[in-house]
Amino acid sequence: MKTEIPPQVRERTIAKARTLVEALPFMREHWGRVVVVKYGGAAMERAGLSRSFAEDVALLQHAGIHPVIVHGGGPQVTEVAGRLGIETSFVDGLRVTDEATLEVATMVLAGALNTRIVGMLVAGDVPAVGLSGVDGGLIVAVRQTEPDLGFVGRVERVQAEVLHTLIDEGFVPVVASIAADATGQPYNVNADVVAAELAIALEAEKLVYMNDVPGVIGPNGDLLSELGVGDVLELLAQPGTVEGGMIPKLESAVRALRAGVGRVHLLDGRVEHSLVLELFTPEGVGTMITPDASPAEEPAGAEG
């Protein structure tokens, strides 16, 4: 005797199947490619969102994608410095890092915070391994001089062999944004810049920034869902249009795209499963930045 499937169950089941089928082209597109994710903001602080992020990373890996996670942790460094009685100061929104602040940043970023993120990912069935830019000589930095903010570095070069080794063995690297120069002197480095430089060195398909904003907001207050490099440069040239932490993200996005990274995405980490929604659905949930089309790529009849 044949048993009928209740209509509501059948509809729900078919809807799930359609969702999986719709995601298949996007999974095929990213198969075997590296996706670098700068992880920060609310997604890093709230337990529920942290679990959601771990599930997203697990799905990426099971879909044949190679995720590499980069994190900073400015608010956490400020909090710990305050508890230790160390004053925090900024110049044009950038942290001044004296010797005491560098010790705190190293302890928080390459120690407690990196361990916490790795533990969260491992608990979500992701074989994560924590390291900083110092490990294996991954990131060689030099002191930033314009402006001089103390022990703040800029990336001079990336030696990505350690990441390739981990990826080839099935691990997910989680990189804290501390690097050292040729003498071994450590520096605090902007995590957005680190993410872009790693994406370039790894020839990543995508670079994703997860933070506490929906994406790039235009002059009229609306979310800009897709931009080209030229559009980004125009926004950066307009005083007051882009401010604070969005500036290094967009500057790094332009550098990454010009160096061959396929796409850059800026996501709201407060949205549950925002990483999967952006990469595996046609609509996406944030801002996607693409390279400007070359003349050969423009459609027939295009002006200019």
Side-chain angles (χ1 to χ4, degrees):
M1 179 178 175
K2 185 177 179 181
T3 303
E4 290 291 332
I5 300 175
Q8 68 273 19
V9 174
R10 184 166 61 245
E11 183 178 338
R12 184 171 64 247
T13 303
I14 291 173
K16 290 179 179 179
R18 285 176 179 154
T19 300
L20 291 171
V21 171
E22 288 174 358
L24 185 57
F26 300 98
M27 292 180 177
R28 285 174 174 161
E29 177 188 351
H30 299 105
W31 175 269
R33 304 304 302 270
V34 172
V35 173
V36 176
V37 181
K38 174 0 186 42
Y39 178 56
M44 195 162 57
E45 285 300 299
R46 300 179 192 170
L49 292 173
S50 295
R51 287 192 295 272
S52 164
F53 177 71
E55 291 167 350
D56 286 2
V57 174
L59 178 57
L60 261 61
Q61 195 178 37
H62 286 299
I65 299 167
H66 305 304
V68 174
I69 315 301
V70 177
H71 71 88
Q76 293 85 353
V77 172
T78 300
E79 179 190 351
V80 174
R83 282 195 267 131
L84 295 174
I86 299 171
E87 183 179 349
T88 299
S89 59
F90 295 87
V91 174
D92 296 331
L94 301 173
R95 182 187 304 273
V96 176
T97 305
D98 58 14
E99 190 170 350
T101 303
L102 177 63
E103 289 186 11
V104 173
T106 303
M107 175 178 66
V108 172
L109 301 182
L113 192 53
N114 188 268
T115 300
R116 193 174 88 198
I117 294 170
V118 169
M120 173 266 295
L121 289 169
V122 170
D125 197 29
V126 176
V129 173
L131 65 162
S132 75
V134 178
D135 293 293
L138 172 60
I139 299 170
V140 178
V142 294
R143 184 167 179 146
Q144 177 179 301
T145 57
E146 295 182 4
D148 188 344
L149 301 171
F151 293 100
V152 172
R154 64 175 178 82
V155 177
E156 184 175 57
R157 66 181 183 273
V158 174
Q159 302 178 146
E161 291 83 0
V162 62
L163 296 185
H164 284 300
T165 299
L166 290 170
I167 291 169
D168 290 345
E169 293 298 322
F171 293 104
V172 174
V174 180
V175 183
S177 57
I178 298 290
D181 65 16
T183 70
Q185 170 62 52
Y187 290 96
N188 187 12
V189 185
N190 184 287
D192 296 328
V193 174
V194 168
E197 295 300 327
L198 292 185
I200 293 168
L202 293 167
E203 300 181 346
E205 174 69 17
K206 292 184 183 291
L207 167 61
V208 180
Y209 290 111
M210 296 182 66
N211 211 338
D212 291 350
V213 293
V216 179
I217 305 300
N220 299 323
D222 52 333
L223 174 65
L224 303 176
S225 60
E226 186 170 344
L227 297 168
V229 166
D231 301 321
V232 172
L233 293 175
E234 286 182 15
L235 288 173
L236 288 169
Q238 298 174 27
T241 302
V242 180
E243 299 177 333
M246 186 59 72
I247 295 174
K249 287 179 176 61
L250 292 182
E251 290 176 341
S252 297
V254 170
R255 169 163 165 72
L257 290 165
R258 285 177 166 174
V261 174
R263 297 285 189 271
V264 177
H265 301 258
L266 294 97
L267 309 183
D268 192 341
R270 299 167 297 183
V271 176
E272 191 174 359
H273 297 300
S274 58
L275 183 58
V276 164
L277 289 170
E278 181 68 13
L279 297 184
F280 291 161
T281 66
E283 298 85 4
V285 294
T287 298
M288 180 174 70
I289 307 175
T290 64
D292 290 325
S294 67
E297 295 172 325
E298 291 179 358
E303 297 182 4

